[in-house]
Amino acid sequence: NPIHQKHYLVDGELKKWNGESADVYSTISSTKTYAPTFLGSAPDMGEPEALNALEAAVKAYGKGQGTWPTMRVRDRIECMEQFVEKMKTKREEVVKLLMWEIGKTYPDSLKEFDRTVDYIYDTIEEYKTLDRDSAKFEKHAEVMAHIRRGPLGVVLCLGPYNYPLNETFCLLIPAILMGNTAVFKPAKIGVLLITPLLEAFQESFPKGVVNVVFGRGRAIAGPIMKTGKVDVLALIGHSSSANALQEQHPKSNRLRLVLGLEAKNPGIVLPDADLDLTINECLAGTLSFNGQRCTALKVLYVHDDIKDEFNGRFSEAVDKLPFGNPWDEGVKLTPLPEPQKPEYIQELLDDAVSKGARILNKKGGKHFDNYIWPAVVYPVTKDMRVYEEEQFGPIIPILSFDDIEQPLDDMAESNYGQQVSLFGKDVYALAPLIDTLANLVCRVNLNSSCQRGPDVYPFTGRKDSAVATLSVHDALRSFSIRTFVASKDN
Ligand code: G3H
């Protein structure tokens, strides 16, 4: 049954929306025709509602004197615990919508939900430790200081479509637990799955702490930024959106940024790599959720000595991956949720082929609407769009190399610096190379594909890949500041 989402949350009130709504479609077909399925509609709000939500967050923060930022730590934790308990009762509804709205497989949708619940519990535990660590006395050179960690103010929180629950909450949960207040706008794809959680927000937190509005980014986030009343822009998505929003803030240099952005993580396959293991890891790394992960392996460098064997076996393995709808047993590949994505993938393929690359796998690039087969493209050169752009989809560029300096030079030149995977047998002999890689990116994965988890590890990037660090350990720090009261020890 279609869901017509009519409510939004502002100043502790679940308000009924009577204005324009935007239709929500799934690219998954409910018949064999590949036609999109109508899922329902969500409010298409504009500037007045955006500004009301912002005012509610500003009022709840109350220049740092509001109930929420001044609340005792254990009371804030209690609100968060209440929220997560209520959230858990919505598991089935949210998981179903994750499958329909973004096409994530059933096991991965369950994982997204459960991982988010764990993340909230772990963040609460970290917060208890953080509070103990930070609220302490220190004395240096006769000056006694009582150090604490406090909130930054009002946070605008914008999440991505590929993890519409998990990554949004990786921003929102630590932000509010630290005593900030927030306006949160769900991603356009994955908008309905927030609906079942609106009541939980309303019932668990004091009014104005979490405000949820729906609509297009430009209509909501733009006017909010222009007021200059946002202290933190928390966004996981594209740097073009982050830059545009940052520029709209009248005092952008004092805006705190917590950003997870693009990446072009390379996988480097050395001549002595264990090919069975490497092929499995590269399949998962390039094609989990059809490559729509910032942590996906987005370019492979394969040593000349093994390129023929690797390319042949890898291409065959890609063609054997089971394709279907998210709820189909054992399925690995699913339809892409962005309506225009197949067209974009085709453009990248045409560009690569026109510049001399071949599609190595038989099924590569074939599609019926948004059901698109991954394409393995080789030999890729640096003038091709698929080398330059973050494809965020099922197209795998491969380059070969004979000297390790080549991938290292490319990484040094790249605009991105999130992670790398290194495949080779004698990893101990590789220690100097590992050190070099660690100075180019933020996580070096040995004989394993790139990924964000376990969520306790720092999740960040160099250059255009991130600003600030997210993780159970770091996010609370990213959304707060250490202050202290000093007195002379007379
Ligand atoms: O899209 C970026 C996500 O942070 C990827 O997370 O590595 O757990 O899939 P993941």
Side-chain angles (χ1 to χ4, degrees):
N1 290 341
I3 298 171
H4 294 287
Q5 158 34 14
K6 289 276 178 214
H7 290 90
Y8 63 110
L9 179 62
V10 169
D11 206 16
E13 214 186 308
L14 269 179
K15 299 191 189 230
K16 181 101 191 279
W17 172 245
N18 295 314
E20 293 283 305
S21 284
D23 286 347
V24 180
Y25 284 90
S26 170
T27 56
I28 302 169
S29 182
S30 46
T31 66
K32 292 252 182 258
T33 61
Y34 299 106
T37 302
F38 179 62
L39 293 184
S41 59
D44 192 10
M45 299 178 152
E47 185 166 338
E49 298 74 35
L51 295 183
N52 281 344
L54 176 67
E55 280 315 315
V58 170
K59 191 170 78 185
Y61 191 67
K63 302 188 191 115
Q65 295 168 300
T67 315
W68 186 248
T70 56
M71 193 181 260
R72 286 182 315 177
V73 166
R74 66 166 177 268
D75 294 336
R76 263 202 314 252
I77 289 176
E78 209 175 287
C79 293
M80 192 57 83
E81 283 169 345
Q82 257 186 52
F83 172 74
V84 69
E85 288 307 314
K86 287 176 199 288
M87 173 179 165
K88 279 172 9 192
T89 65
K90 304 291 179 186
R91 185 177 189 246
E92 210 177 305
E93 269 174 86
V94 173
V95 164
K96 201 167 166 189
L97 285 164
L98 269 167
M99 289 192 287
W100 274 104
E101 286 195 272
I102 67 160
K104 197 165 266 189
T105 64
Y106 180 64
D108 284 349
S109 295
L110 281 180
K111 194 166 144 200
E112 175 158 355
F113 190 93
D114 295 343
R115 177 182 185 178
T116 309
V117 167
D118 290 346
Y119 181 88
I120 299 176
Y121 282 123
D122 292 347
T123 302
I124 291 172
E125 287 312 307
E126 179 71 21
Y127 183 48
K128 291 177 188 166
T129 320
L130 181 77
D131 182 63
R132 272 204 305 276
D133 278 355
S134 306
K136 62 179 186 186
F137 288 94
E138 276 181 25
K139 190 178 155 202
H140 299 286
E142 307 300 310
V143 177
M144 179 77 99
H146 179 220
I147 300 179
R148 26 167 124 209
R149 184 170 281 277
L152 295 162
V154 174
V155 181
L156 174 61
C157 179
L158 305 165
Y161 81 82
N162 65 333
Y163 276 95
L165 180 73
N166 178 270
E167 285 205 323
T168 313
F169 280 31
C170 286
L171 300 172
L172 184 64
I173 297 299
I176 55 178
L177 196 52
M178 265 330 305
N180 302 287
T181 60
V183 177
F184 156 40
K185 188 200 85 67
K188 203 171 139 223
I189 300 175
V191 60
L192 295 178
L193 59 90
I194 297 300
T195 312
L197 303 175
L198 285 180
E199 263 179 28
F201 279 125
Q202 187 208 18
E203 291 167 3
S204 311
F205 298 107
K207 61 183 188 174
V209 173
V210 181
N211 303 278
V212 189
V213 282
F214 299 89
R216 284 155 296 139
R218 254 171 296 157
I220 303 278
I224 288 180
M225 292 304 286
K226 279 186 194 149
T227 63
K229 293 181 181 173
V230 170
D231 300 292
V232 187
L233 172 63
L235 174 149
I236 294 183
H238 209 275
S239 49
S240 57
S241 316
N243 293 341
L245 288 172
Q246 193 187 350
E247 276 166 19
Q248 293 184 58
H249 194 293
K251 291 183 180 155
S252 60
N253 55 350
R254 72 168 195 210
L255 179 69
R256 173 77 68 105
L257 300 172
V258 181
L259 308 174
L261 305 167
E262 302 97 278
K264 190 86 183 176
N265 296 336
I268 302 176
V269 187
L270 300 173
D272 65 346
D274 172 337
L275 280 195
D276 289 336
L277 175 149
T278 304
I279 286 168
N280 275 336
E281 289 294 321
C282 286
L283 281 177
T286 53
L287 290 174
S288 292
F289 194 39
N290 311 294
Q292 302 165 115
R293 298 160 58 233
C294 62
T295 51
L297 283 174
K298 298 202 179 94
V299 56
L300 299 181
Y301 289 87
V302 184
H303 193 272
D304 276 341
D305 291 356
I306 50 159
K307 66 172 189 286
D308 293 338
E309 187 180 356
F310 177 90
N311 287 353
R313 287 177 57 188
F314 182 68
S315 306
E316 267 177 41
V318 167
D319 275 355
K320 283 192 191 133
L321 288 172
F323 207 137
N325 284 329
W327 41 85
D328 294 341
E329 182 83 29
V331 74
K332 294 281 185 220
L333 303 169
T334 50
L336 308 181
E338 290 179 291
Q340 308 307 331
K341 204 56 174 278
E343 211 175 293
Y344 171 66
I345 300 284
Q346 191 60 51
E347 278 176 24
L348 295 185
L349 283 177
D350 291 346
D351 173 75
V353 169
S354 75
K355 291 171 181 159
R358 284 170 289 125
I359 300 174
L360 296 185
N361 57 322
K362 291 199 185 91
K363 297 183 186 170
K366 296 196 171 39
H367 70 97
F368 298 97
D369 288 336
N370 282 50
Y371 294 69
I372 178 160
W373 273 97
V376 183
V377 185
Y378 176 83
V380 164
T381 47
K382 285 159 73 173
D383 57 338
M384 295 177 188
R385 286 180 59 190
V386 71
Y387 173 83
E388 197 55 43
E389 296 174 24
E390 188 201 32
Q391 67 269 43
F392 217 78
I395 170 166
I396 306 154
I398 302 184
L399 288 83
S400 53
F401 70 95
D402 61 358
D403 181 347
I404 189 67
E405 289 304 319
Q406 183 193 330
L408 293 181
D409 285 348
D410 291 354
M411 287 173 72
E413 270 173 28
S414 165
N415 289 329
Y416 309 113
Q418 192 200 65
Q419 303 190 22
V420 64
S421 289
L422 181 64
F423 298 97
K425 219 164 238 156
D426 193 0
V427 285
Y428 294 104
L430 295 174
L433 173 58
I434 293 167
D435 286 346
T436 304
L437 290 171
N439 289 340
L440 290 167
V441 294
C442 290
R443 175 168 170 164
V444 181
N445 300 279
L446 295 179
N447 291 313
S448 54
S449 63
C450 299
Q451 58 172 357
R452 176 168 40 124
D455 290 330
V456 64
Y457 291 131
F459 177 52
T460 186
R462 296 171 189 268
K463 301 189 249 183
D464 291 346
S465 284
V467 179
T469 305
L470 290 167
S471 72
V472 167
H473 177 77
D474 297 277
L476 289 164
R477 291 164 172 86
S478 297
F479 283 105
S480 60
I481 190 162
R482 281 196 342 141
T483 62
F484 64 99
V485 179
S487 55
K488 271 271 177 72
D489 186 23
N490 296 320

